[in-house]
Amino acid sequence: MKATQSRPDSASSRFGHTELPEEQHQALRKAIRFEWITVAFLAVSTAMIYLLLGNSQAMKAAWLEDVLSFLPPLSFLIAARVIRKRPTEEHPYGYHRAVGVAHVVAAVALSVMGAYLIVDSGISLFTAEHPTIGGFDFFGQTIWLGWVMIVAMLLTAGPPVYLGHKKMKLAKTLHDKVLYADADMNKADWQTAVAAAAGVAGIGIGWWWADAVAALIISASILHDGVRNTKAAITALMDKRARTYDDAKPHPLGHEIDGYLSGLDWVETAKSRIRDEGHVFHIETFVVPAGDRPTLKQLESARQACIDLDWKAKDMVLVPVSTLPEEFLPGLSGEH
């Protein structure tokens, strides 16, 4: 109660009709701040790399990778505003799916661009294009531009790694898959920078093919991120069983709810099906009473106790039934 009173902006402390606990409220504020920092950093780094592109295929791939890196943070920032809107008659489940839509858009863009770059870099390699990097005059001395490219790439490698680690922790707290995808890409950005620097160095020592090979490595990384995130985003929109923020395993909340309800003296058994709405879950739990029909007070008390298990569980329906409906609970016969 104390924490809720201290919040300066109640609109920013909820998703739809879900009031965020203090931990998630602070995590959301930090995530928004880190995403704006990411956007500012990308604006500087993409401008700098664009000015140094030259004929390097690897630098071109790294620059396009940086341009695409705008998508996840911008998607998160847009979705973070949309999902605050309260449910309406036209949108009774709220606007949580905005996160899923943003995830799909960013992931598909990554996949398309990764595929394009692989083809473009492959053509450069098989047609044996020999990229050249010139020099510039610096107080009477001719400096090879490749040195500047290498320094620029190495300078842009560090900040995304730091931002990625910070956002990864916040993604877990907020159960945010767009933020997780963004953090995952940030953590791997150093590989892009190192590959581009190695490609430029290859040109410098006469290995013309090193530039195209480095570009292929970067392109494969982009395509890998795109395909993995596209798969996760689409399956989530198709109401796949709710999973953890990193898609690594089924979310444990279903077992926790079923275990709690099955332990009540008026419940014989209970089983839930849960879909991920973006940050919060929509939960339908079927309960078989042990004896007489449960009272409204018992049902309301049990539902509130389940909601108190996790902040994501506010949108919950508790349905008393005579037997668990297998048509709504696939795999029930094989369950234990």
Side-chain angles (χ1 to χ4, degrees), residues 37-54:
I37 292 173
T38 301
V39 170
F41 167 76
L42 288 172
V44 173
S45 65
T46 52
M48 182 172 65
I49 295 173
Y50 178 76
L51 294 174
L52 297 171
L53 280 182

Side-chain angles (χ1 to χ4, degrees), residues 40 43 85 87 163 169 181 189 191 195 227 237 271 301 305 317 321 326:
K85 296 167 67 176
L163 291 170
K169 295 177 182 176
D189 273 355
Q191 298 169 5
V227 171
L237 285 180
K271 185 67 181 173
S301 175
V317 177
V321 291
E326 191 165 355

